[in-house]
Amino acid sequence: MANANPVWEAIDETPTTRPRRLVLEVVHDWVTTVDHKKIGLMYIAYALIFLVIAGIEAMLIRIQLAVPNNHFVSPQVFNRLFTMHGTTMVFFVGMPILFGFGNYLVPLMIGARDMAFPRLNAFSFWISAFGGILLYFSYIGGSGLYGAGSAPDIGWFAYAPLTAKVFSPGHSTDYWTLAVFLSGIGSVGTALNIVTTTLCLRCKGMKLSRMPLLVWLYLVQGGLVFVAVGPLTAAQIMLLLDRYLGSHFFDTQAGGSAVLWMHFFWIFGHPEVYVLVLPAFAFVNEIVPVFSRKAIFGYPAMVAASVGIGFISLSVWAHHMFTVGLGAAGNTFFVFATMVISVPTGIKIFNWLATIWGGKIIFAVPMMFCVAFLFQFLIAGLTGIMLSAAPFDWQLSASYFVIAHFHYVLVGAILTALFGAFYYWYPKVTGRMMNETLGKWHFWLFIIGFHLTFDFMHIPGLLGMPRRIYTYEAGRGWDNLNLIVSIGGFVQAIGILIFVYNLIRSRTQGDIAGHDPWDAWTLEWAVPSPPPSYNFAVEPTVNSRRPLWDLKHPEDPDSDYE
Amino acid sequence: MTPALLQRRSRFATPARALFCGMSLFVGTAFAKSPALSPTNMFDAAATPAHSIVGLSTLVLSVTLGIFLVVGGLLLYALIRYRHRPEDSTREPAQIYGSNQIELSWTVIPILIVVMLFLSTTRIILGTEAIPKPASALDVTVIGHQFWWEYRYPKLGIVTANELHIPISDPSKPTPTYLEMSSADVAHSFWVPRLAGKMDVIPNRLNTMWVDPPQPGLYLGQCAQYCGTQHAKMLLRVYADTPEQFAAWAAQQKQSAQQNLTNPVAAEGREVFLHSACINCHTVAGTIANGRFGPDLTHLASRDTIGAGPIKNTPENLRSWIDDPNIMKPGALMPSMHLNQHDLDVITAYLTTLQ
Amino acid sequence: MSQTTSTIPITASGEPVWELPSRGVVGMACLIIAEAAIFIIFVVAYIFYMGKSLSGPTPQQVLELPIFGTICLLSSSFTVHYAVSALRKDNLRGCILGLGSTVLLGAIFLATTAQEWYHLIHDHGLTITTNLFGTTYYSLVGLHATHVVVGLIMLTLAFGLALRGNVHEAHSEKLEVLSLYWHFVDAVWVVVFLVVYVIGR
Amino acid sequence: MDEVTRIQQQAQHGHAHQADTVHLPEPTAMPMVLALGISLLITGMVTHWVISLLGLIFTLRAIVGWFFDVFPHEKHIDVPVEAGILAITTTRTTRDQLPVSADHRKLLPVETFSITSGIKGGIAGGIAMIIPAAVFGLARYHSVWYAVNLLAAGGFVRWAGESNAFLAQFHLEGLLAATGIHALTSVLIGLLYGAMLPMFPRKPILTAGFVAPLLWTGILYSAIGIISPILNDRISWRWFILSQIAFGLVCGFVVNLQVRVRTPQFRALPFAVRAGIHSDNIEQIEQIEEAEKTKPVDKKDDYV
């Protein structure tokens, strides 16, 4: 069987000597680029920097809460920490990193040479990046250039009227508003680009019914961004008008309504969760089949479920407001809408299960992360069902149970799937594999840390611990639990440091990957690693959902069956 | 690449084993000193709304646990059963695209579960929010302030702060307490887990909730909606009294502050108090102090705590609090009045007489 | 780029006809959806606060139907449509005429709005800080007016280029995208008109 | 040297020269400058108006620059490309494939049942179920409305304390609520029957008529206290089971009417195959794999 294994070294595409260039030239290159791959990478790099910053904030929060009556940070500092942590993680880590992957992968997967609007793409990236910088500039210039710095301390959902000029004097709240506003412009721009690219630049034969599920999910995500970010932007304009021109949108003294802000914010806020989680589904949809060596089970159902989740997610926002006093009728409606969303979500989980069933599962690091994703997302979904039962939510909302629940979604599902995606597509981006052993250390430390933190975080919520408190009394039964949670946080941090080290080290010392290291089936694996600036030398034509399967199995192509 | 990976399966297990051992050891020791039962455990329900929530929670928890066991078990089984073993051939497994019948089944079963959960949830919602208020109910107006609670009993003519007294409710002739809630500044949330779920306290809006604890006792809780710097120390103390205790307490609270002080130190303290800025924010019934911005002090000494819960009401603590509230509760809106030591002493002496 | 080989599937068959939508139109449609979401929120706020002002003046007292401006703005939709179809037929003169009248009609609309605001501020003392009506009215109508201004700037630019003869048939798609935006601005005005001047009064 | 490597090296050394260029948009700093301009414009709001002025200048400059990037023609650069088609290479392509059979890769199972059969079954079962329920009401409380109101009472908290006489009367809201609940669950369960009955091997009618109702009743019995306490207080489990069985039998019968009878081979298949998440030629594969394991060929070199 001498011909079994082509020797990968034979196609080493990484040039060994590169002409040295001036730093300035390199910078100029990146600043002026309109290439979707470079912009995608910039998105990811910038998100990773903010991930580390927001991670440090999380660690400071956990040190403060590790023991009761702690004086590690002052209440003001603590309130700023959780505000910045939440805002950063949602707007300057979650969205950009997922848009980065989308930018990089969507054109490659649909056989396009670039995004539909390359310059708009660059603009969207830069404006979100400047938004992040503006937010952190508040630490220096929170009261304008005249006074001492003060970061916003209003919580990431900035409930009115705490944001009113009376209760938040100075400019710290404006920093929050304006930074998120800028990031919103960038998000809409990128989403617009992704949707247009998907609809208008598909290669020949790439019908909608043949698009990789990742592209489908990014399409739905893009649609959600339009309808979700718009309301937030509108609400922020109102808030700015209130603060700068003295209007009364959220001014309760002049008859304004605090609840209106809650509605507007959560009309954005809940779809936002799906904006973040749909790409995570997208990664899992690509990775699980490849490592189970099977086609995705129930492709049409998966597409329908994704679109269904997109639509239903627009009608569930007020489940964040069960304790606001919506009245029995309002509560009942939102209970129903929220519970219904578990049906398409369930379909997804079952279809992944069926994809794995009967396969030959290879537990490489990307797949390990996806397996962890499946379990953790299952638990996150089930705690979500608990929260959707409004009376249960009257106890749990704004408690540590909710914190644990949404971190289960954001960390246990999204971040975990993202790590899988990093290990999976790294070889495509750099031409080199990430180190497996380090990857496994990263995996286990991260997963164990995660479960220490967020499994135990549910319990203080059941025992009456509300969110956003900078300290608590001893004797409430929260002490040991919080200590475990804090320690788990640090275990996770170590895992992530290993990941970052692996990311940097493998860039120069990883094994050469070749263009298709995972024996995968979608179009991005048909181009060299790293892909040339034009992606495809010849524009491809596809006949099925898995074009590379057809190439690899000419005697038994997918196109016969779809 | 892939096959080489499979050979190194043992390496994959090593970090896992080491870390798992560490974790179980750690969790074991942490729980060896089993934490005392929490005074704010939502499952330890002490009133009807909390009880019905516990009932619903149990149902939801068992349903979700069942789903978790079934789906998680299947997932685990599939992962083990269908893992790629080193001795397996590298041939691709059968490619299966889907199955209408199984997909239909796992769409319909969740819908059925949802319908069932929805019906039971609706019933609890209606049973808590949409039932008529009995005539025997006691009304209390709750007003949230940055970082303390104001309680007004309109029918009894009582105004107090931070410590809510309610009568117990005998299930055979219920006397529930209805809380009408609003806020003077930003949004807060009233949460006493053993009595009921939380209800937000929002400015320019009136929310209602009710509680009916059958057993006397002290029920703890705290503000559950982020409301600014000292959100953490905006605690709730609800005292459920027997009817006799409650009547006695109400009678005492209705009185004005004592006018003829026998203690000369306290009398001097009163003069200092009434001539300082204290009266701009605080009320002491029967004197010229009628500020509304801070808590009513008429019966301050009858309360167990100061500073909205976190500080025991002792003369030393009270003195320290008056000296500079920001030491015990940084961010509290009461400013330090920069009183001299003598004035501090006499004001403290005066305030301790406000029974 | 030294390495250029690839394993791209280019099997012959494929689809006989492969047509995809124009990216300009799709992009503009996406933008319109996002903008519509913003407008909906402002309209909802307007409706929510209708009649909740704690003090006067009320819309009944001060608002008048801006019939003339509305007619101008709505008819500009037809003229911009005419400009696009003229350009498609490579009728540059028709295109200039269409664009010119669109700009003119849009400017008249803006002028009527400005006059209305002047009237409200100067004669009735209604500003954005006066009450909830002022807050929601100025922000909703102002947001729409901002969009009119942006559209007018772009239309003026197109008009100028057309006058200089730099525009020809190849640009008809770009002009169509611009006209889509203008139609959207008009459609929003219909909603604003109904909510503010018909229902709200 | 094998064929694949040869092709690769050919391609690498450029035997398949196809000198050509690809149009790509020209790199431009204008998007970045525009973003910076807008950001500074906004930053002025929290710092100083001079910053806004600076931002305005940047913004205007960028808008002009951007305009000339795309008008009258989009600026582009030509990237040279040498296209050579390379044969796909993976670790698996040279493997023996299974003989391609018709049912190797499909939507499984080969035949499924139309959704309408389940809905029909559900409707029929739902109607059948009314009869024992009505009989129960008549026999115990001399009213057909009793069972209806009892079902509806789950949603009406006010009814919790009502008397039997009240429940025996006709209430329109009760009828509507009960009809809604009943119709919805009947159709859903019918759908489920339509989908799942064929998965069970012997006498599906038995499963449908007795096993499922008993199972369902058991689950409900443990949870009814929370779902609907009023129902829990007054339910007669004997009649309840009876009506469930009526539903199951009729629904199963109707569904089965629409179902083609399965071959004995189908019944012999393992559950996963009947459920359709597993290929039905699994045994065939296992046999082949078994045969390969005993082959003398040294498979180790696959992994080198």
Side-chain angles (χ1 to χ4, degrees), chain B residues 92-316:
Chain B
E92 305 283 20
Q95 302 294 312
I96 292 161
Y97 294 105
S99 151
N100 289 348
Q101 66 179 38
I102 193 81
E103 288 178 45
L104 188 60
S105 317
W106 65 46
T107 311
V108 174
I109 294 175
I111 294 179
L112 278 170
I113 296 175
V114 162
V115 169
M116 192 263 286
L117 285 180
F118 171 67
L119 288 178
S120 23
T121 305
T122 311
R123 202 178 49 72
I124 305 289
I125 294 177
L126 296 176
T128 311
E129 290 198 328
I131 57 166
K133 173 167 150 186
S136 57
L138 171 73
D139 285 315
V140 180
T141 305
V142 177
I143 301 166
H145 292 261
Q146 268 181 330
F147 318 111
W148 60 282
W149 301 95
E150 178 180 352
Y151 302 115
R152 305 179 88 87
Y153 297 66
K155 283 184 200 152
L156 302 177
I158 296 174
V159 180
T160 180
N162 292 325
E163 294 180 2
L164 174 64
H165 284 256
I166 58 173
I168 60 169
S169 170
D170 183 353
S172 57
K173 45 178 181 39
T175 51
T177 305
Y178 271 68
L179 306 172
E180 296 261 308
M181 310 197 288
S182 189
S183 167
D185 37 48
V186 303
H188 306 275
S189 189
F190 188 95
W191 187 28
V192 182
R194 292 187 60 200
L195 296 182
K198 62 181 72 61
M199 178 59 88
D200 286 358
V201 179
I202 299 168
N204 197 15
R205 184 185 180 90
L206 209 59
N207 278 335
T208 308
M209 69 183 281
W210 57 276
V211 292
D212 61 342
Q215 298 296 328
L218 168 63
Y219 300 99
L220 297 180
Q222 70 189 82
C223 173
Q225 183 63 267
Y226 177 65
C227 54
T229 314
Q230 267 302 348
H231 163 57
K233 290 194 175 166
M234 185 168 167
L235 307 187
L236 279 157
R237 300 170 72 84
V238 178
Y239 294 77
D241 300 333
T242 59
E244 303 76 44
Q245 284 172 333
F246 184 75
W249 175 83
Q252 183 221 2
Q253 297 286 316
K254 271 186 234 179
Q255 293 168 0
S256 290
Q258 196 184 349
Q259 295 301 316
N260 304 315
L261 291 166
T262 46
N263 181 346
V265 182
E268 186 191 352
R270 186 169 79 170
E271 289 315 303
V272 177
F273 179 83
L274 293 179
H275 287 92
S276 72
C278 304
I279 59 170
N280 293 340
C281 294
H282 293 285
T283 297
V284 176
T287 70
I288 55 162
N290 61 355
R292 284 284 307 272
F293 195 72
D296 186 295
L297 299 180
T298 314
H299 301 282
L300 176 68
S302 71
R303 296 182 204 143
D304 293 338
T305 58
I306 53 175
I311 305 157
K312 258 191 134 72
N313 190 3
T314 62
E316 300 76 55

Side-chain angles (χ1 to χ4, degrees), chain D residues 161-241:
Chain D
E162 296 293 351
S163 64
N164 284 335
F166 176 85
L167 289 178
Q169 286 159 4
F170 171 76
H171 302 282
L172 184 63
E173 48 185 337
L175 181 65
L176 289 177
T179 312
I181 298 172
H182 183 62
L184 184 65
T185 34
S186 294
V187 169
L188 286 175
I189 304 245
L191 271 174
L192 199 58
Y193 272 27
M196 292 190 77
L197 277 191
M199 292 181 207
F200 295 98
R202 278 176 291 276
K203 302 258 184 284
I205 199 80
L206 187 78
T207 324
F210 296 97
V211 180
L214 287 175
L215 206 67
W216 170 243
T217 310
I219 296 171
L220 215 57
Y221 182 76
S222 56
I224 194 90
I226 299 159
I227 299 172
S228 175
I230 181 171
L231 197 59
N232 189 29
D233 291 344
R234 304 172 193 223
I235 196 164
S236 159
W237 287 103
R238 214 176 320 147
W239 284 94
F240 184 77
I241 294 178

Side-chain angles (χ1 to χ4, degrees), chain A residues 228-294:
Chain A
V229 174
L232 178 68
T233 308
Q236 281 172 325
I237 294 173
M238 294 176 186
L239 182 59
L240 285 172
L241 288 175
D242 272 11
R243 289 182 61 91
Y244 277 91
L245 298 183
S247 65
H248 307 294
F249 280 107
F250 309 117
D251 177 3
T252 48
Q253 303 300 321
S257 165
V259 178
L260 196 67
W261 169 271
M262 300 184 194
H263 278 294
F264 289 166
F265 186 87
W266 290 117
I267 285 172
F268 153 78
H270 198 79
E272 170 69 10
V273 176
Y274 288 90
V275 166
L276 295 176
V277 85
L278 288 179
F281 292 165
F283 304 145
V284 176
N285 278 332
E286 296 304 319
I287 297 172
V288 162
V290 167
F291 289 89
S292 307
R293 310 306 309 159
K294 278 181 70 197

Side-chain angles (χ1 to χ4, degrees), chain D residues 211-289:
Chain D
V211 180
L214 287 175
L215 206 67
W216 170 243
T217 310
I219 296 171
L220 215 57
Y221 182 76
S222 56
I224 194 90
I226 299 159
I227 299 172
S228 175
I230 181 171
L231 197 59
N232 189 29
D233 291 344
R234 304 172 193 223
I235 196 164
S236 159
W237 287 103
R238 214 176 320 147
W239 284 94
F240 184 77
I241 294 178
L242 203 63
S243 57
Q244 297 295 319
I245 290 176
F247 175 92
L249 283 175
V250 173
C251 180
F253 178 73
V254 173
V255 169
N256 242 21
L257 276 184
Q258 333 255 331
V259 168
R260 250 170 281 170
V261 181
R262 289 296 183 167
T263 56
Q265 286 95 319
F266 179 78
R267 289 183 199 144
L269 290 170
F271 177 79
V273 179
R274 289 198 307 273
I277 51 180
H278 213 317
S279 166
D280 35 3
N281 63 356
I282 186 161
E283 281 168 287
Q284 201 187 342
I285 299 169
E286 276 167 2
Q287 278 166 13
I288 296 168
E289 291 193 350

